[in-house]
């Protein structure tokens, strides 16, 4: 894919660059911020004066980012056309006291983050990335993008039933090894400081392990894309690309990339927190509006919550509702759930369909089986907190929450086109 590029393969090449350069939520925010700055958007302080907010800008808070275009040049009651996604992915977080010595093996103490597929992390070469923090509160991004740890699987000779039933205890069996030695070898923090060329040994950190194998286009027809963290960095890429391409309209185009969706969104930077609401009100104040104008602007707003969907699996077709089982490379899926696990209504679905039609993009629908409850995402949380009409959509994929996931190469470009059109129309 990275040889002579067609327009679509150039987009996928750019998506791969995005994925490979964003091993943690903090890196996603930094990657998006650098792209927005290059496109002319100005970074603002999350708690700055509303009178200084630029027409086109963004804020970064930890692993979350919100960006906008045309925020102050429209009337106070003008709506926001919002695309939401999330920056985090399931995996492992390094605990505060990471060192452990077991029978001569140096192992890492890690905490499972989100709903991982346990077995997908076995026998993979793992790097470490995230941010480190000094006692004074300064942050530094780090990315050790080489294999430093591995979770070794037990040999079949020592577990003759492994191919019939594999049971992994998350505390006992998912402990990565990262070397040999004894208690006098020095600790993880000193190693990290040396490896990342830090000026001092970090006191605190928010670090994750990740599979260092880069993303890859595969298939005899180059129709598939394999990568870690497709859920939901793919949607972050599409939202960012669409916002940069967005032209001025009679409303504000906005993206919100929340953190902590995989663990429930209940945080200062998650969709259940006030970050988006507070910023939107500040933008209305920057237009000269008041609280009443802010409430009116909410009523004139709409949101597309973009988070990947389950494509029909060729080996497990019985896990899908056959009439609502999306296929890869057949367009983004509108996600529907009568029990409000998704925020989609007929009215909000119709708005997204209009965007797809205007962009010349095919679309599909996803509904879970009645005997297999679906997950959820930031859409219902955003809709509940702000009262904004919201539709949940997503690119169909396989192996969701695996260390390495799979989607089609046409769908990311299709989603970007639909979102660009969504930003252009109120």
């Amino acid at each position: 894919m990275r040889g002579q590029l067609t327009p679509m393969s150039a987009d996928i090449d750019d998506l791969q660059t995005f994925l490979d350069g964003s091993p943690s939520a903090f890196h996603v925010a930094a990657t998006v911020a650098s792209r927005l700055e290059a496109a002319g958007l100005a970074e603002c302080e999350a708690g700055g004066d509303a009178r200084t907010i630029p027409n086109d800008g963004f804020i970064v808070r930890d692993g979350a980012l919100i960006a906008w275009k045309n925020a102050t040049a429209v009337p106070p009651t003008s709506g926001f056309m919002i695309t939401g996604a999330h920056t985090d992915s399931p995996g492992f977080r390094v605990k505060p006291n990471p060192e452990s010595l077991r029978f001569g093996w140096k192992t890492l103490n890690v905490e499972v983050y989100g709903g991982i597929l346990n077995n997908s992390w076995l026998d993979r070469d793992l790097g470490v990335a995230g941010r480190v923090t000094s006692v004074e509160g300064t942050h530094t991004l780090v990315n050790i993008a080489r294999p430093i740890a591995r979770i070794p699987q037990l040999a079949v000779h020592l577990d003759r039933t492994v191919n019939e039933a594999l049971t992994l205890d998350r505390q006992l069996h998912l402990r990565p090894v990262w070397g040999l030695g004894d208690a006098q070898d020095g600790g993880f923090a000193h190693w990290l400081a040396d490896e990342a060329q830090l000026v001092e040994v970090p006191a605190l950190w928010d670090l994750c392990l990740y599979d260092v194998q880069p993303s890859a286009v595969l298939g005899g027809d180059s129709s598939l894309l394999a990568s870690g963290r497709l859920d939901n960095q793919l949607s972050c890429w599409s939202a960012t690309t669409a916002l940069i391409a967005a032209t001025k309209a009679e409303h504000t185009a906005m993206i919100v990339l929340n953190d902590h969706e995989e663990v429930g969104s209940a945080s200062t930077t998650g969709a259940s927190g006030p970050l988006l609401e507070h910023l939107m009100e500040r933008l209305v104040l920057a237009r000269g509006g008041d609280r009443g104008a802010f409430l009116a602007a909410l009523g004139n707003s709409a949101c597309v919550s973009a988070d990947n969907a389950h494509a029909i699996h060729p080996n497990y077709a019985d896990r899908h509702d056959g009439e609502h089982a999306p296929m890869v490379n057949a367009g983004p899926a509108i996600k529907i759930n009568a029990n409000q696990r998704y925020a989609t209504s007929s009215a909000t679905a119709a708005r997204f369909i209009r965007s797809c039609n205007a962009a010349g993009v095919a679309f599909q629908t996803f509904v879970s089986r009645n005997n297999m409850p679906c997950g959820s995402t930031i859409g219902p949380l955003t809709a509940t907190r702000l009262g904004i009409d919201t539709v949940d959509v997503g690119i169909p994929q396989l192996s969701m929450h695996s260390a390495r996931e799979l989607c089609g190469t046409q769908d990311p470009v299709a989603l970007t086109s639909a979102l660009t059109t969504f930003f252009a129309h109120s």
Side-chain angles (χ1 to χ4, degrees):
M1 186 63 71
R2 301 195 182 194
Q4 186 173 1
L5 299 176
T6 65
M8 180 171 289
S9 63
D11 286 329
I12 295 304
D13 183 76
D14 186 61
L15 172 57
Q16 289 183 259
T17 299
F18 187 102
L19 292 164
D20 294 342
S22 305
S24 75
F26 303 104
H27 286 84
V28 176
T31 297
V32 173
S34 66
R35 293 184 172 214
L36 295 175
E37 281 188 325
L41 281 72
E43 183 172 4
C44 307
E45 292 293 331
D49 189 335
R51 293 171 294 183
T52 65
I53 290 177
N55 196 43
D56 304 330
F58 67 93
I59 64 166
V60 177
R61 182 167 180 181
D62 300 333
L65 179 145
I66 304 176
W68 59 88
K69 272 188 171 182
N70 204 33
T72 60
V74 294
T77 58
S78 293
F80 296 83
M81 298 296 109
I82 304 168
T83 293
H86 66 87
T87 59
D88 60 321
S89 300
F92 295 96
R93 301 296 186 262
V94 181
K95 291 183 177 181
N97 298 317
E99 295 88 16
S100 184
L101 188 67
R102 302 170 66 84
F103 306 103
W105 294 95
K106 293 167 70 175
T107 64
L108 287 175
N109 293 319
V110 294
E111 185 174 10
V112 175
Y113 178 88
I116 66 170
L117 277 173
N118 295 346
N119 62 295
S120 73
W121 287 87
L122 301 178
D123 295 329
R124 292 189 179 272
D125 296 335
L126 304 177
V128 61
R131 72 175 183 184
V132 297
T133 304
S134 70
V135 174
E136 289 73 27
T138 58
H139 303 301
T140 305
L141 285 182
V142 298
N143 180 17
I144 313 303
R146 66 175 181 84
I148 62 101
R150 189 177 178 90
I151 303 173
Q153 189 166 194
L154 185 64
V156 66
H157 313 79
L158 304 179
D159 184 1
R160 297 289 183 178
T161 66
V162 66
N163 291 319
E164 284 72 49
L166 175 63
T167 300
L168 295 171
D169 184 294
R170 293 188 172 195
Q171 178 67 23
L172 300 176
H173 303 146
L174 298 182
R175 188 188 299 266
V177 298
W178 72 297
L180 303 171
D182 57 44
Q184 306 304 315
D185 284 349
F188 175 83
H190 288 85
W191 170 85
L192 183 67
D194 291 340
E195 193 75 19
Q197 299 181 335
L198 303 175
V199 296
E200 61 182 3
V201 176
L204 303 158
W205 53 66
D206 300 284
L207 296 173
C208 65
L209 299 181
Y210 72 98
D211 182 3
V212 297
Q213 183 179 2
S215 61
V217 171
L218 56 90
D221 54 0
S222 297
S223 62
L224 301 172
L225 174 65
S227 177
R229 305 175 305 282
L230 288 175
D231 173 18
N232 189 32
Q233 290 187 19
L234 186 158
S235 299
C236 294
W237 173 82
S238 284
T240 301
T241 306
L243 182 69
I244 290 172
T247 55
K248 292 295 189 288
E250 297 302 314
H251 55 259
T252 299
M254 174 176 280
I255 62 173
V256 53
L257 310 181
N258 290 115
D259 199 356
H260 302 132
E261 187 274 345
E262 297 293 358
V263 292
S265 296
S267 71
T268 55
T269 53
S272 289
L275 186 64
L276 176 60
E277 179 182 0
H278 288 177
L279 177 65
M280 292 173 69
E281 185 165 8
R282 288 176 59 211
L283 293 177
V284 171
L285 293 175
R287 302 171 182 171
D290 55 14
R291 179 70 178 178
F294 169 60
L295 297 177
L298 293 180
N300 293 324
S301 300
C303 177
V304 175
S305 165
D307 196 358
N308 294 2
H310 296 290
I312 187 167
H313 198 301
N315 301 332
Y316 301 92
D318 60 312
R319 304 301 177 95
H320 301 265
D321 182 325
E323 285 72 43
H324 304 91
M327 179 62 187
V328 299
N329 286 337
I334 300 171
K335 300 158 69 172
I336 298 170
N337 181 260
N339 296 297
Q340 298 300 297
R341 299 293 288 169
Y342 302 128
T344 306
S345 68
S346 60
T348 61
R351 182 192 292 269
F352 185 73
I353 290 170
R354 292 195 296 272
S355 295
C356 289
N357 289 341
V361 167
F363 61 89
Q364 310 175 76
T365 56
F366 169 75
V367 184
S368 290
R369 291 173 60 94
N370 286 316
N371 58 358
M372 193 164 294
C374 68
S376 190
T377 183
I378 65 171
L381 301 174
T382 303
T384 299
R385 183 172 185 97
L386 298 177
I388 292 176
D389 287 343
T390 301
V391 59
D392 276 297
V393 306
I395 293 304
Q397 70 162 90
L398 298 181
S399 304
M400 189 175 289
H401 288 197
S402 172
R404 194 165 179 83
E405 301 170 321
L406 186 70
C407 72
T409 51
Q410 297 178 30
D411 290 331
V413 181
L415 176 62
T416 303
S417 296
L419 294 178
T420 302
T421 304
F422 166 75
F423 283 139
H425 299 87
S426 58

